Amino acid sequence: MTYAKKVIFYFKLFTANEWSKSKIYSKYLGIKMGNCVRVLHFPRFGSEPYLIEIGDNVTITRGVCFINHDGGVAVFRKQYSGLNVFGKIIVGNNVFIGVNSIIMPGVTIGNNVVIGAGSIVNKDVANNSVVAGVPAKFIKELSQYESDSLKKGIQIDNTRNKKMQVTEYIEKQKG
């Protein structure tokens, strides 16, 4: 990418909303992205972004990092000057990737998945699951996460002031 193209790329990203960033990343970096992909802030798509495929209805939050090569093989460069190890990363449909998570090379994330903040995903993730941790481990089925969220969550009424609704909810939690 030439310097001018890079400046244009970053300007478009800086001014884009969270929904249109996916189109910009797809066009300039070669990432395959489905429909309704929401990209928050500036994730890192690694040195080989063309090895990344992202499905429909995916949210990629702030600080997410996709690593699609094993840089550690650099310690063998004296013996094997051209040695590289790469892995494709595939993200299914209806996936939420939490803040500052890292997705390692060769990982496939299934459909209907939540990845907790700060997780390092170094193995495939099954459909309909919630994973979190370092390394990421299975936490619960997505259906259990839904049930738990409905019990402890709040439904925001868009006709009323959100701040007031959230404040009332938090006060009820205290009492």
Side-chain angles (χ1 to χ4, degrees), residues 40-165:
L40 304 174
H41 205 255
F42 298 100
R44 294 175 302 254
F45 288 108
S47 54
E48 293 79 29
Y50 51 85
L51 294 176
I52 301 169
E53 291 182 19
I54 298 171
D56 299 332
N57 304 312
V58 174
T59 298
I60 302 167
T61 58
R62 179 183 298 263
V64 170
C65 184
F66 294 83
I67 299 176
N68 34 38
H69 73 280
D70 182 350
V73 297
V75 300
F76 306 119
R77 289 278 158 71
K78 283 187 179 180
Q79 292 168 277
Y80 312 101
S81 61
L83 180 61
N84 284 282
V85 177
F86 300 99
K88 195 170 194 173
I89 297 172
I90 300 172
V91 178
N93 299 318
N94 200 35
V95 174
F96 179 90
I97 305 173
V99 172
N100 293 329
S101 292
I102 299 172
I103 314 300
M104 299 299 287
V107 167
T108 296
I109 298 169
N111 298 318
N112 305 310
V113 170
V114 174
I115 298 173
S119 297
I120 297 180
V121 183
N122 62 353
K123 293 182 179 152
D124 290 353
V125 178
N127 292 339
N128 303 306
S129 59
V130 176
V131 300
V134 178
K137 292 184 175 18
F138 176 81
I139 303 298
K140 59 178 85 173
E141 293 286 333
L142 191 66
S143 58
Q144 184 61 50
Y145 178 66
E146 177 183 21
S147 176
D148 294 347
S149 297
L150 289 170
K151 287 177 190 171
K152 67 181 181 182
I154 177 178
Q155 293 281 339
I156 300 294
D157 178 355
N158 290 329
T159 63
R160 295 180 48 222
N161 179 297
K162 179 180 175 183
K163 181 179 177 181
M164 185 176 75
Q165 291 178 72

